[in-house]
Amino acid sequence: MAPPAIIAPSILSADFADLGAECSRTIKQGADWLHVDIMDGHFVPNLTFGPPVVVKIRSHVDRPTEAHGKGTFDCHMMIAEPKKWVKEFKAAGCDLYCFHYEAAINSSAAESPEATSEEKTSPRGADQPGTGVGVLYEILESEDEKERPDMVLVMTVEPGFGGQKFMASELPKVQELRKRYPDLNIEVDGGLGPGTIDQAADAGANVIVAGSAVFGAQDPAAVIALLREAVNKRSGKA
């Protein structure tokens, strides 16, 4: 049984010419978090948002009043040296930070993200296609509570671009994680929408990132509600 649903639309699919209003509107339409894809053109071949953009959109969305609360900015660090940037993105208004194992293991980002900020930041691990989730077990089961991620992100597309086709081949990773860690927040990102949510929910995912399925919908609120219902039905929270 998974934790309750958390719906985190990816602003990579929002209208960049009206980004602040889009973010505010999506939260009002029922989203819990906003997924902020940070790309540097090195770890992935695309460039997106820097801290100044986050500052601007944060002014349109109230910061959460509790951990994991409504209005959380879920910062997906698809960058080569994520540790170097945590403090700046925190100051800009991000709340959660997800490091890719593939970047962190080969850089100084493998050190604890807490070292980069005076305030505690909860570490999270991301796993892309081609990498088995077993690489995360050591840190997930670390004796040091501060080192243990409180969420794992499983990519169901290759990182770097929105609008890709959902890769159901990655769902066994979600099943494996859910079996081993029943209470862990497990996030899936890539190709999620009404046509694929049942597969992700059946596998045990509870944090759902959806970009074009939400921002491109005629009725985004209805899509958000559908995604939430699919997850909560399987978790017994409906």
Side-chain angles (χ1 to χ4, degrees):
M1 185 176 294
I6 296 172
I7 310 302
S10 171
I11 66 172
L12 191 62
S13 295
D15 180 356
F16 285 10
D18 195 26
L19 192 53
E22 285 263 84
C23 291
S24 175
R25 183 162 49 245
T26 303
I27 291 293
K28 291 176 182 176
Q29 288 166 336
D32 301 296
W33 299 354
L34 292 176
H35 189 77
V36 183
D37 287 308
I38 308 299
M39 306 182 193
D40 64 356
H42 296 284
F43 180 67
V44 292
N46 196 9
L47 288 167
T48 55
F49 315 107
V53 174
V54 175
V55 168
K56 292 298 184 181
I57 61 175
R58 180 82 271 178
S59 68
H60 291 264
V61 179
D62 291 338
R63 293 201 81 147
T65 58
E66 59 185 4
H68 300 174
K70 194 172 184 68
T72 289
F73 280 10
D74 174 25
C75 190
H76 183 183
M77 308 285 277
M78 287 178 276
I79 59 181
E81 291 287 348
K83 177 187 172 184
K84 293 181 179 180
W85 293 97
V86 169
K87 191 170 185 178
E88 287 195 48
F89 277 104
K90 183 178 181 64
C94 285
D95 304 292
L96 310 181
Y97 310 88
C98 196
F99 291 0
H100 270 265
Y101 170 83
E102 298 84 0
I105 197 65
N106 293 314
S107 74
S108 60
E111 300 174 29
S112 170
E114 280 75 18
T116 68
S117 175
E118 294 177 0
E119 298 181 47
K120 185 180 185 297
T121 62
S122 296
R124 286 155 178 82
D127 181 270
Q128 67 189 50
T131 302
V133 293
V135 299
L136 299 175
Y137 291 165
E138 182 177 357
I139 190 170
L140 281 165
E141 297 169 11
S142 172
E143 293 182 2
D144 185 346
E145 184 179 355
K146 291 183 178 180
E147 293 289 340
R148 291 199 298 268
D150 61 5
M151 185 179 80
V152 170
L153 164 59
V154 174
M155 295 295 298
T156 45
V157 297
E158 293 291 346
F161 294 92
Q164 298 181 60
K165 185 177 179 181
F166 178 73
M167 296 171 64
S169 59
E170 301 307 300
L171 293 179
K173 297 180 182 180
V174 177
Q175 294 171 326
E176 185 178 338
L177 286 165
R178 179 58 65 212
K179 182 177 180 180
R180 191 174 180 116
Y181 308 105
D183 300 321
L184 182 69
N185 280 324
I186 301 175
E187 184 172 46
V188 285
D189 178 7
L192 274 301
T196 54
I197 184 58
D198 286 341
Q199 296 175 70
D202 283 339
N206 71 296
V207 183
I208 309 299
V209 177
S212 55
V214 172
F215 286 102
Q218 289 190 340
D219 188 348
V223 173
I224 291 169
L226 183 153
L227 299 175
R228 188 185 309 283
E229 181 181 9
V231 173
N232 284 342
K233 185 182 298 183
R234 278 123 178 123
S235 68
K237 306 296 193 299

